[in-house]
Structures are given as structure tokens and as C-alpha cells.
Amino acid sequence: MITVGLTGGIGSGKSTVASFFVELGVPVYNSDQEARRLMKTSKKIKKAIKSLLGKNAYNGKKLNKTYISAKIFKDRNLLQELNAIVHPAVKKDFLKWKTKQKAPYVIQETALIFENKSQDLYDQIILVVAPENERLQRIIARDGITTEQVQDRFNNQLSDELKSPLADHIIQNITLSETKKKVQQVNKAILARIE
């Protein structure tokens, strides 16, 4: 069983693309979702996050995402320290999840493959791209944040121009019907390389 990384900048539509792979029967591990789950359920991670960001990082048992985002997207060192707490736990959780899957390949949906220089962990990498202005509009609509806050997040990720030459497959996500078609083509290409 091979491991495929699915990545792309914030607002590119990774989750939409992942859902199309799920429709094709491909198991997908959503790293962001699982990271949030681990940040809520792991006593060890909670303790480390409170120690790093203060007790306001949690509202009772709930993660205070607004507070955390405001702190980490303005301070690259804090972001790296938070990633150093969460990423190893997500990696361990993903590997455990992978052993339970029965498919020719699995996908790990994760935003920062190239930023974290973790491309060697994957047999193939899919990059989801979309025009920056469209991504900006999607994030503002989805998260209800300002253009400046979106820009802070863009600044913590590599550009599509830098990531594109490093990817095995690129999916341009503008119209859903075209994206779905491209997902089917990429699925065939991945399966062809496995056989």
C-alpha cells in the first residue's frame, strides 16, 4: 500500500478534492481534523499547548481557535513550536490509521508537506491549486476573518509556483465538474503506477 500526500495552500480546496477521492473509495486521513481532535483529547498535548500559549488556548474543554490563530499567525516561532507539539502526534496517529486500511493507496490530506520538508514520507504528492483571489474569497466566506488575517496565513505557506515543480500531480480547483474529472484522471494515474 502506498501513501499519497494531498496538499495545497489554505483555501485551495483540499477538502473538496479529498471528498472526490473518498467517493472513488480511497481512504483519506484529514490531518487538520485529526490534529484538532488530538489537541482536544490528548492530556499531554493540551498541557504542552497551555504551557506554550497560556491557559486561554482552551475555553474549558474546547480549543480556542480564534485566540490560537491570532497568536501563531503573527509569530512564526510560536507556530513552529506549536507544530513541534502537534505534528509528531498526528504522524503517529496517521501511521496507526494506515495499518487499518485495505486499499491500493491511502491519502494523507495535509497543508504543509513542502513547508515542513516532509515530501520524502510520501510515494506521490498531489498539489491542489486555485487563484489566490479566489482562495482569499473562500477563506473570508468560510472563516469570517479579515483580508489581513488571510494574508498572514498565506505568508506562512509557500507559493504554488514554488510547490508545483515538486508535486507529482496538480489539480486546478476552480469548477467542481472539472476538478472531479481531474481527480478521476489522477486516481487512474496513481493506480497505473502501483500495478
Side-chain angles (χ1 to χ4, degrees):
M1 180 192 298
I2 72 162
T3 303
V4 175
L6 173 65
T7 194
I10 184 171
S12 60
K14 291 182 299 296
S15 296
T16 300
V17 168
S19 71
F20 292 150
F21 276 101
V22 169
E23 284 176 19
L24 296 173
V26 181
V28 175
Y29 180 95
N30 181 320
S31 297
D32 281 353
Q33 220 172 290
E34 298 305 327
R36 282 193 297 274
R37 177 181 60 80
L38 291 166
M39 287 162 84
K40 285 179 201 165
T41 58
S42 163
K43 285 190 175 84
K44 185 180 165 191
I45 292 174
K46 264 184 171 174
K47 190 178 172 187
I49 290 172
K50 282 180 184 175
S51 163
L52 176 69
L53 302 172
K55 62 181 189 324
N56 290 337
Y58 289 85
N59 286 328
K61 289 186 178 183
K62 283 185 77 174
L63 207 54
N64 187 346
K65 288 194 283 191
T66 311
Y67 172 83
I68 292 172
S69 297
K71 287 191 79 107
I72 63 172
F73 290 117
K74 288 277 187 208
D75 183 336
R76 199 163 280 211
N77 289 335
L78 264 187
L79 177 62
Q80 286 173 345
E81 286 182 61
L82 179 64
N83 287 343
I85 294 167
V86 179
H87 288 179
V90 170
K91 183 182 176 183
K92 191 175 164 190
D93 192 64
F94 166 72
L95 292 171
K96 191 171 137 192
W97 171 87
K98 185 182 168 186
T99 62
K100 297 174 184 161
Q101 306 310 311
K102 299 194 181 344
Y105 73 98
V106 296
I107 288 177
Q108 182 176 19
E109 179 190 339
T110 183
L112 304 172
I113 290 176
F114 300 116
E115 290 81 352
N116 291 336
K117 296 179 176 40
S118 57
Q119 54 266 44
D120 293 345
L121 301 174
Y122 303 95
D123 300 291
Q124 294 180 47
I125 296 174
I126 302 164
L127 174 65
V128 182
V129 298
E132 193 168 292
N133 194 40
E134 189 151 333
R135 290 169 51 203
L136 181 79
Q137 298 310 320
R138 287 175 188 169
I139 300 160
I140 290 170
R142 182 188 74 194
D143 298 348
I145 58 177
T146 65
T147 302
E148 187 194 357
Q149 288 171 309
V150 176
Q151 217 50 60
D152 286 341
R153 291 170 192 200
F154 282 168
N155 294 340
N156 283 299
Q157 296 186 337
L158 294 174
S159 69
D160 288 343
E161 290 70 37
L162 289 172
K163 291 189 275 199
S164 292
L166 306 171
D168 299 283
H169 311 277
I170 296 172
I171 295 178
Q172 180 90 28
N173 180 31
I174 300 170
T175 64
L176 287 179
S177 57
E178 283 304 307
T179 300
K180 200 167 199 173
K181 248 185 254 175
K182 186 66 181 167
V183 165
Q184 290 164 347
Q185 290 166 4
V186 169
N187 177 56
K188 279 187 187 146
I190 293 170
L191 290 171
R193 281 202 212 171
I194 295 169
E195 285 159 8

